[in-house]
Amino acid sequence: MSMIKNLNETLQTSEVGGKAASLSAMLAAGINVPTGFVLEKDSYKAYLEEKSFLNENKTLIESFLKKLKSKYVMVRSSAIGEDSIDTSFAGQLDSYQSKNNLEDVIENILKCWNSLKNQRVKHYEEYTGKALTEMAVIVQEMIEPEFAGVLFTTSPITQEGIYIEYIEGHAERLVQGEVTPESFEITDKKNIDSSLPFDPKDLLKQSELILKKYNGVPQDIEWAYKEKKFYFVQSRPITTIKDKIKWSNTNVNENYPDKLSPLLYSIAKQSYYHYYKNLALNLSVIHKYDDRSERYFSNAIGIFGHRMYYNMSSIHNIIELSPLAGLLQKSFDDFVGYQKKNNLNKKFNNIMAKAKIGLKMVYHLLNLSEKVKIIETKVSEYAKLNKEDMTYAELTQSFHTFLFIRFHLWVNASFADFYAMLTHGFLGKFLAYVKLENPQGTQNGLIQAIPNLVSNQPLHRLYQIHKAVEEEKKFKDLFAKDSAHIYEQVQGHKDYFELKELINSYLNDWGFRCPGELTFLTENYIENPFAFIDMVKTYRSTSPENPQRLLDIKHADQINLQYETKLKIRRILKLRPFKKWLSTFLLKVLVRLTMFSISSRERVRLKQAQMYYTFKDTCKKLGVTLAKREVLKDPLDIFYLEYKEINRILSGEETDLSYIHSLISLRKQSIEKAEEAPDNIYTFREDFGLTFFDQDDSVESKDGTYQGLAACSGKVQGKITIVETLSEINKLKKGDILVTKQTDPGWICVFPMISGLIVEKGGVLSHSAIVAREFGVPAVVGIPHITEYLKDGQQVIVNGDTGVIECLN
C-alpha cells in the first residue's frame, strides 16, 4: 500500500499528523484548500531504515507533482502530535517554499524531516513535556496571495469576539514575526469595517464553516486571499485560550462600599451561594441533587482589594440554566448596571419548559406578600431578642439565629429582588414591543412615586424633626450649636423632651439605615448619634419642603403618564380592538406588578439592614466577652475571623490562641495594604495569584456627551456639584445637579433639594434610581469615572429619558 496519499482522501491524524488531517477534513467539508499530497509518517520510518526510499518513489512523487498547477509548492511538516488540542508546536518545525520540480521537492522533504531534531523543538519539548518522534510531510500548491493572515475564532487577547491579523503578500513573514501586521477585532458581526482590502464577511462565513467542522473548538486559521477568493492553508485548535472570568462591583458596592472584614465576606460568600441556589431550586431551574452547576453557585461573588465583586461569568451561567435566560440576563444586567456585552448561550427552545417555569413564577408572585411578611416577622423577632444584658449563651444563640435566617430563610426575600428585576424587565420589553416612542423614559416615569415606599419614611421623619425645630425658638437656638452639644442637651434636659422623643424614635426605627449599613466596621447613626445630628443640620440647611407634598405631585404625574401612555398605545394599535384592550390591560397590570415588586424589595432591604445591625451588636458583645477571656486581644478582633472560625470558638472546640492572634494580625495588615481595584475586571481561572485585568471602563465623549443608563425620566439643565461622600453634601445648593459615585439610604435627605442626578455606579433598580424616581429627579446612572470627567460648576443637560449627559461648557 502506498505511503503517499492525496489530501482529498480520508486521512487519519495518527498516520499523517494533525496538520495534514485538518487540511483533508476541510477539503471534505467543502472548504477551499490548495490541492496537494502527503507522505505518511511511515515514509519517514522507511527513509530512516533505507535511505533509498525517496529514490525508489521518485516516479510516484513526480506523478503527484504534475497534478499541482502552481509554479511553486509549499513543503510543510505535519508531525504526529503537532497542532493538537494540548500543544501546537507552532513555529517550531520548518516549512519550505520550493520550485515545482522533483529534485527541489525531495531536498525540502529531507529538510522537513531533519527539523524534528532542531533546537527549537527540543526546547519546546522540555517546556511542554511532550515529544515529537514521527512526521508526515505535506506538499501543496503555493498561492501567490495579495493578502494573507490569521483568524482566531476566539480572540486570544480579550477572549471575546474574533481576532484577525493580515499583511500584504505571503503570511510567512507574519508567522515569523518579521513584519507588524494590520489587526482588528470583531465583536459585532453587523458592524464590520467595509474599507478592508478583502471581504471580511466572506472570511467570517468560511471560518464559521471551519469552526462547525471542529465542533466549536476555537480555531487558529491561516488564510490567503487572491483574486477575490480565500484559500485556507491551516486550522488548528487555539491552545492559549483560558477560562476568562468577568467580575463587577457595579451595584454590589451600594451595599458593601468599603473593604470587607473577613467575617462579613465569609457570611456574604455563603449567603450568595444559598441566595441563588435556593431561588433556582424553588423555580425548578435545577434539581435538589444536581451538582453540575454547583461551581457557579459556589462562586457567585469574590473579592479584590478586599471589596466585593459579582462573578458575572458564574451568574450568567446560572441564568443560562433557565428557559427564560434571554429575558433574565437583560433584566439582571440592567438591575445591577452591568453594561459589558455577553454572548448568551441559549439552550432552551422547548415551549413546555418555558411554560413550566412561567407557572412557577406566577405561583411565587402570588405568594410574594406572604414571603416578605415571613422575613419581616422573623427579623423583628430577632431584633427584639437583642438587649444590653445578654448572657453568653444568649449571644451564642443570637449569632447562630442570624446565620440561619441569612442562609436558609432569605430565599423568601430573594423573591422580592427577583420579581423587582423581572417585572421591570417585562415592562420595558412590553413598551418596546408596542413600539412606543422613548420606551425607557416612559418606563421610568410609570414607576415613579410608588405609594408608601418604605425607603421614603426616613425623609418624612426628618421633616418632622425639621418642622419641630422651626416651630420652637429654643430648639432653633439649640441647633445653632455643634452636634455633640445638641445631642447631649436633648438627651439630658427636660426642656427638649419633645425633640428627644422625635430624635430617639428616628434612631430606634431608622438609625441602622446609613452609609455602609451592611458593613461591620462602619458606625451607623445608633452608634454615632452625633453624625445623625450633622445630617439633620445639613438637611435643614436645604430649606426642605414637605416631602409628602412632593410625592403627591409626582404620583399625580405618574397617573397622568399612565393614562397618556394608554392612549398612545391605542393610537399605535389602531383598528385592532382586541390588541388595544389586551395591551392597555397588560400596561396596567405590569405597572402595578413592578411597583408592588419594587416596594416589596425595599421592605426586605430595610429588614436586612436591621438584621445586620443586630448581628453586629451581638458580635461586639461577644467580642467583649472573648477579649476578657483572652481569646481575642481586642473586642473588635472578632470581625477579623470568619463565621466558621467563630463558631468553633463558641462551640468550645480545641483552639490554638496563638494561631488566632497571628491570623488576625495578618488579616488586618492585608486589609490595610489592599488597593482598590477597578469596577469591572477579568481574571483567568488557570492563573493563580493577584493578577487581574481592567475591563475598559472608559466612557467615550462624543461632542461633549456621555451615555449612561436612563434611571428617571425628565430633562433638566443646570449647574453640577460633585460630591464624593455624604459628609460633603453641604456643598449642594437648592436646584443643583448632583454628581457622585453612588448613593445609599443615608443620602435620602439630598433628593428633595436637587434638580438632577448623575451617578457613576448602579443600575435601574439601585438606590439612586429608585429614590430619584420617587421625587421625579431626572437621573442617569452607570457612567464610569464621570466624577473625573466633569467639573464643579459646569453647565450640563441631564436627559433621563435617553440616559445622555450633554456638557454645555
Side-chain angles (χ1 to χ4, degrees):
M1 183 179 289
S2 173
M3 288 179 278
I4 305 176
K5 302 283 179 66
N6 267 311
L7 277 178
N8 59 9
E9 296 181 49
T10 301
L11 303 177
Q12 302 299 320
T13 304
S14 59
E15 296 299 321
V16 298
K19 187 181 295 180
S22 173
L23 293 171
S24 171
M26 285 196 288
L27 275 167
I31 307 297
N32 192 28
V33 174
T35 57
F37 60 94
V38 58
L39 283 74
E40 293 181 340
K41 68 174 185 180
D42 287 345
S43 62
Y44 179 48
K45 287 183 181 178
Y47 169 76
L48 292 177
E49 292 170 0
E50 182 59 59
K51 299 297 182 183
S52 62
F53 169 80
L54 287 174
N55 286 328
E56 292 171 1
N57 285 275
K58 275 185 177 181
T59 303
L60 181 59
I61 294 172
E62 191 169 31
S63 69
F64 275 107
L65 284 173
K66 287 179 179 178
K67 296 176 184 178
L68 305 184
K69 305 302 181 185
S70 60
K71 184 177 180 181
Y72 290 89
V73 296
M74 289 298 300
V75 181
R76 310 171 66 193
S77 60
S78 183
I80 310 304
E82 182 186 6
D83 288 352
S84 69
I85 192 71
D86 299 317
T87 49
S88 69
F89 280 86
Q92 311 309 311
L93 298 166
D94 295 326
S95 296
Y96 299 93
Q97 293 183 17
S98 173
K99 290 180 180 179
N100 189 353
N101 63 58
L102 183 62
E103 291 73 19
D104 284 358
V105 167
I106 287 178
E107 180 183 345
N108 287 310
I109 289 172
L110 290 171
K111 287 181 180 179
C112 274
W113 281 338
N114 288 333
S115 69
L116 266 178
K117 304 171 186 177
N118 72 39
Q119 202 65 34
R120 297 192 308 276
V121 171
K122 289 180 181 178
H123 286 314
Y124 195 88
E125 288 175 336
E126 289 172 5
Y127 175 73
T128 62
K130 303 287 178 68
L132 297 178
T133 57
E134 300 175 297
M135 180 190 284
V137 174
I138 305 163
V139 181
Q140 273 182 291
E141 285 185 353
M142 192 178 82
I143 306 299
E144 293 286 351
E146 297 155 21
F147 296 93
V150 293
L151 179 149
F152 294 89
T153 58
T154 298
S155 170
I157 300 171
T158 65
Q159 316 288 296
E160 296 174 1
I162 296 167
Y163 182 76
I164 298 173
E165 290 185 348
Y166 70 94
I167 61 170
E168 280 195 67
H170 283 283
E172 193 66 21
R173 292 180 301 148
L174 169 60
V175 175
Q176 297 300 328
E178 295 176 4
V179 294
T180 301
E182 299 291 334
S183 64
F184 59 97
E185 187 169 311
I186 299 172
T187 55
D188 182 2
K189 294 179 183 178
K190 295 178 181 178
N191 187 22
I192 303 175
D193 186 358
S194 59
S195 65
L196 294 168
F198 49 83
D199 182 0
K201 291 183 180 179
D202 186 26
L203 177 59
L204 290 181
K205 183 179 178 181
Q206 297 295 324
S207 69
E208 286 171 0
L209 292 174
I210 295 172
L211 187 63
K212 184 178 180 180
K213 176 67 183 176
Y214 291 102
N215 300 314
V217 175
Q219 296 289 304
D220 167 1
I221 301 168
E222 288 186 27
W223 53 271
Y225 182 75
K226 182 180 181 181
E227 297 175 351
K228 298 184 179 181
K229 192 173 183 179
F230 285 100
Y231 297 83
F232 296 89
V233 296
Q234 187 163 302
S235 183
R236 59 179 168 230
I238 304 174
T239 56
T240 57
I241 292 275
K242 299 179 181 179
D243 192 359
K244 183 178 182 179
I245 309 168
K246 302 175 185 177
W247 304 86
S248 176
N249 75 352
T250 303
N251 189 256
V252 75
N253 54 15
E254 184 178 303
N255 288 332
Y256 305 98
D258 303 316
K259 294 178 181 179
L260 272 63
S261 66
L263 175 57
L264 181 58
Y265 179 62
S266 69
I267 291 169
K269 186 80 171 174
Q270 191 70 2
S271 297
Y272 276 95
Y273 167 79
H274 288 294
Y275 179 100
Y276 287 113
K277 187 167 186 180
N278 287 336
L279 196 58
L281 284 168
N282 275 270
L283 292 171
S284 298
V285 170
I286 61 169
H287 300 294
K288 188 173 183 180
Y289 300 108
D290 186 354
D291 62 355
R292 287 174 296 177
S293 54
E294 192 69 9
R295 64 190 176 111
Y296 305 141
F297 296 110
S298 297
N299 296 291
I301 63 164
I303 54 171
F304 294 90
H306 285 278
R307 287 177 171 81
M308 190 185 298
Y309 283 73
Y310 283 130
N311 183 329
M312 297 302 294
S313 298
S314 283
I315 293 173
H316 284 150
N317 280 321
I318 291 170
I319 289 172
E320 284 179 2
L321 300 173
S322 166
L324 300 178
L327 173 64
L328 292 179
Q329 188 211 325
K330 174 72 165 60
S331 298
F332 181 82
D333 288 355
D334 285 348
F335 176 57
V336 301
Y338 185 71
Q339 300 180 57
K340 301 293 177 183
K341 183 178 174 62
N342 179 63
N343 296 319
L344 191 70
N345 181 19
K346 296 182 180 180
K347 302 176 183 177
F348 296 93
N349 288 313
N350 190 325
I351 193 167
M352 291 303 295
K354 293 181 178 181
K356 182 179 178 182
I357 193 174
L359 289 173
K360 282 278 187 179
M361 288 177 176
V362 171
Y363 169 78
H364 288 295
L365 179 59
L366 293 174
N367 289 279
L368 182 57
S369 289
E370 188 60 33
K371 294 176 186 295
V372 172
K373 285 177 184 175
I374 289 171
I375 288 298
E376 289 177 323
T377 301
K378 194 66 180 178
V379 173
S380 295
E381 290 173 353
Y382 174 63
K384 286 177 183 176
L385 295 175
N386 189 45
K387 52 185 184 293
E388 288 301 319
D389 56 347
M390 295 174 75
T391 64
Y392 186 69
E394 289 172 329
L395 290 169
T396 301
Q397 180 60 44
S398 177
F399 181 88
H400 289 102
T401 298
F402 168 84
L403 297 178
F404 174 73
I405 297 172
R406 192 66 184 87
F407 295 163
H408 304 296
L409 289 187
W410 207 253
V411 64
N412 294 288
S414 69
F415 277 106
D417 281 339
F418 177 75
Y419 285 110
M421 175 189 80
L422 190 68
T423 54
H424 185 275
F426 268 125
L427 179 58
K429 202 172 184 68
F430 169 75
L431 294 173
Y433 171 76
V434 297
K435 295 181 171 56
L436 197 71
E437 187 179 353
N438 185 26
Q440 181 68 69
T442 303
Q443 179 184 16
N444 289 328
L446 288 171
I447 56 174
Q448 71 180 10
I450 299 173
N452 303 314
L453 195 69
V454 71
S455 51
N456 289 336
Q457 297 308 308
L459 191 58
H460 294 296
R461 295 285 194 91
L462 278 177
Y463 185 74
Q464 287 180 358
I465 295 172
H466 162 71
K467 194 174 178 182
V469 172
E470 284 296 300
E471 291 174 352
E472 285 279 353
K473 185 177 184 303
K474 60 184 177 183
F475 295 166
K476 208 168 185 177
D477 292 340
L478 177 64
F479 262 76
K481 310 292 184 181
D482 68 82
S483 296
H485 179 79
I486 294 170
Y487 184 74
E488 289 164 1
Q489 287 294 305
V490 166
Q491 298 300 321
H493 203 292
K494 63 181 181 179
D495 288 347
Y496 303 116
F497 178 76
E498 181 187 348
L499 193 56
K500 174 184 176 181
E501 289 290 297
L502 288 171
I503 289 174
N504 287 353
S505 174
Y506 183 101
L507 291 174
N508 182 62
D509 295 340
W510 304 98
F512 49 81
R513 299 231 75 179
C514 59
E517 63 188 17
L518 300 187
T519 59
F520 297 148
L521 300 178
T522 302
E523 286 187 323
N524 57 34
Y525 294 139
I526 299 174
E527 297 164 306
N528 182 10
F530 301 160
F532 172 68
I533 301 298
D534 285 340
M535 194 257 284
V536 174
K537 291 175 74 175
T538 301
Y539 175 66
R540 281 178 40 75
S541 70
T542 66
S543 302
E545 298 180 52
N546 187 335
Q548 189 57 54
R549 189 182 72 81
L550 296 173
L551 290 170
D552 288 343
I553 292 171
K554 293 304 172 184
H555 184 57
D557 291 343
Q558 185 273 333
I559 292 173
N560 289 333
L561 178 62
Q562 187 169 337
Y563 178 73
E564 290 170 4
T565 304
K566 181 174 66 174
L567 293 180
K568 288 178 182 177
I569 290 173
R570 286 179 174 176
R571 284 196 295 269
I572 292 169
L573 302 176
K574 56 187 176 182
L575 303 178
R576 300 172 188 174
F578 177 73
K579 276 196 172 184
K580 285 181 183 179
W581 174 84
L582 180 61
S583 297
T584 51
F585 173 74
L586 280 174
L587 174 70
K588 185 177 180 179
V589 170
L590 285 173
V591 169
R592 285 190 178 182
L593 287 178
T594 305
M595 284 186 162
F596 166 66
S597 301
I598 292 173
S599 179
S600 299
R601 177 173 178 260
E602 291 302 295
R603 284 165 60 189
V604 298
R605 279 163 64 104
L606 168 66
K607 303 314 287 185
Q608 179 178 239
Q610 184 181 24
M611 183 175 71
Y612 270 71
Y613 164 69
T614 304
F615 179 70
K616 177 171 73 169
D617 193 55
T618 292
C619 290
K620 286 169 72 175
K621 291 169 182 173
L622 276 172
V624 170
T625 301
L626 295 174
K628 287 179 180 177
R629 298 180 183 180
E630 299 185 345
V631 177
L632 303 176
K633 290 184 177 181
D634 183 276
L636 294 182
D637 283 353
I638 193 170
F639 295 112
Y640 293 90
L641 295 173
E642 297 181 356
Y643 79 87
K644 289 182 179 179
E645 294 165 342
I646 296 171
N647 187 45
R648 288 199 288 272
I649 292 171
L650 298 180
S651 69
E653 189 176 332
E654 179 182 358
T655 307
D656 185 341
L657 295 185
S658 62
Y659 170 76
I660 287 177
H661 297 160
S662 299
L663 185 63
I664 290 170
S665 178
L666 285 171
R667 286 174 175 170
K668 284 182 175 180
Q669 292 174 34
S670 175
I671 292 172
E672 185 179 350
K673 292 177 181 178
E675 296 182 1
E676 188 170 356
D679 294 343
N680 295 293
I681 58 179
Y682 63 88
T683 59
F684 293 107
R685 198 181 304 279
E686 299 88 344
D687 291 344
F688 304 101
L690 296 178
T691 303
F692 58 80
F693 305 87
D694 183 6
Q695 295 185 50
D696 185 13
D697 285 335
S698 60
V699 178
E700 186 178 350
S701 173
K702 297 177 181 178
D703 301 322
T705 64
Y706 298 92
Q707 179 70 57
L709 292 172
C712 181
S713 59
K715 191 173 182 180
V716 64
Q717 176 180 334
K719 174 179 74 70
I720 66 168
T721 297
I722 299 173
V723 177
E724 293 282 344
T725 65
L726 191 58
S727 62
E728 299 177 352
I729 61 173
N730 57 353
K731 291 169 56 178
L732 282 167
K733 292 183 173 54
K734 192 83 169 176
D736 282 356
I737 294 172
L738 170 63
V739 181
T740 189
K741 291 180 183 291
Q742 67 186 62
T743 72
D744 54 44
W747 291 69
I748 188 68
C749 63
V750 173
F751 286 83
M753 66 181 293
I754 60 177
S755 63
L757 177 67
I758 303 170
V759 185
E760 281 191 359
K761 302 178 182 181
V764 292
L765 292 178
S766 63
H767 174 268
S768 306
I770 289 173
V771 181
R773 286 194 292 268
E774 288 307 290
F775 291 97
V777 177
V780 176
V781 302
I783 309 182
H785 311 299
I786 194 65
T787 56
E788 299 171 19
Y789 299 146
L790 301 181
K791 296 179 181 178
D792 260 331
Q794 198 169 356
Q795 285 284 325
V796 303
I797 295 174
V798 177
N799 192 328
D801 295 326
T802 61
V804 172
I805 308 300
E806 181 181 353
C807 300
L808 301 178
N809 60 350

